[in-house]
Amino acid sequence: MSRRDEVLQAALDLLDEVGLDALTTRRLAERLGVRPGALYRHFDSKRALLEAMVQHLLTSAPETQVAGDWAQQVRAVAGAGRAAMLTRRDGARLLVSHLAPSEAARAGWERFVGVLRGAGLDEPGALLAADTVFSYVNGFTIEEQTRDGFPQTAERRAWRDQVFQAGLELIVAGIRTSLS
């Protein structure tokens, strides 16, 4: 593991312990036993570190490629996005507030819009549907992490999974209605 990877892992561990609001470069430097300025050898700013944390969050989740109709693919992408955010304390807030539009993120977005276009939505409708799905996933998960803490109890997570799926089904039903 490179020193940069060690710094990134320490930042992720610290995020889990103290949350996004208390994650500071000073605290991270103390954790690593270095001066705060030493972190800039690996990340040129705190924002760069946060963006690397987001990329780690996204790339550590298994890629979602589901065979099936558009509705199954919407459910799979939404569920995978939520699951990735739930792997870290404040993961949803981190992702929503520090996602730099990388090539991979843009490609994923275009694939998802393509699924919705393939279902029969026109371009504006597909963009609206994709944005609605991602806004739901992000908002639900931010609220979930804010209310439930980290990590959730198994019972609470099971209940939240059911509530999430029910809300997602409302969105899928709305998309289906738009296709009629």
Side-chain angles (χ1 to χ4, degrees):
M1 179 183 291
S2 71
R3 184 64 176 153
R4 184 179 197 279
D5 291 340
E6 289 175 20
V7 171
L8 178 59
Q9 187 58 53
L12 291 163
D13 293 343
L14 190 58
L15 174 67
D16 287 345
E17 290 174 30
V18 302
L20 188 57
D21 294 333
L23 178 67
T24 64
T25 53
R26 179 175 304 280
R27 188 174 255 165
L28 178 59
E30 287 172 9
R31 163 72 57 92
L32 293 166
V34 299
R35 293 179 185 258
L39 298 176
Y40 296 109
R41 288 186 197 133
H42 308 289
F43 298 96
D44 62 6
S45 65
K46 182 177 179 185
R47 180 158 197 80
L49 174 62
L50 292 169
E51 288 172 0
M53 292 169 69
V54 167
Q55 291 309 313
H56 177 83
L57 197 77
L58 294 174
T59 58
S60 62
E63 190 169 323
T64 307
Q65 292 186 347
V66 175
D69 70 2
W70 67 268
Q72 291 169 312
Q73 293 181 55
V74 166
R75 289 182 196 103
V77 167
R82 176 174 167 255
M85 288 185 266
L86 289 175
T87 63
R88 296 288 175 179
R89 179 177 179 177
D90 294 333
R93 283 184 46 227
L94 174 67
L95 191 134
V96 168
S97 57
H98 297 287
L99 176 62
S102 66
E103 295 245 355
R106 280 192 289 277
W109 172 262
E110 290 172 11
R111 272 193 310 276
F112 191 61
V113 169
V115 165
L116 295 165
R117 294 267 315 171
L121 292 173
D122 60 11
E123 184 75 15
L127 290 169
L128 176 61
D131 190 51
T132 300
V133 169
F134 283 113
S135 294
Y136 172 69
V137 172
N138 296 341
F140 185 95
T141 311
I142 288 170
E143 181 178 328
E144 177 178 16
Q145 290 186 315
T146 300
R147 290 186 178 189
D148 295 352
F150 180 83
Q152 295 170 305
T153 65
E155 180 180 279
R156 187 71 175 174
R157 174 68 189 264
W159 178 76
R160 284 287 190 179
D161 288 347
Q162 290 176 347
V163 173
F164 177 79
Q165 290 302 323
L168 187 57
E169 287 308 313
L170 290 173
I171 294 169
V172 168
I175 295 170
R176 189 171 279 121
T177 299
S178 296
L179 294 171
S180 312

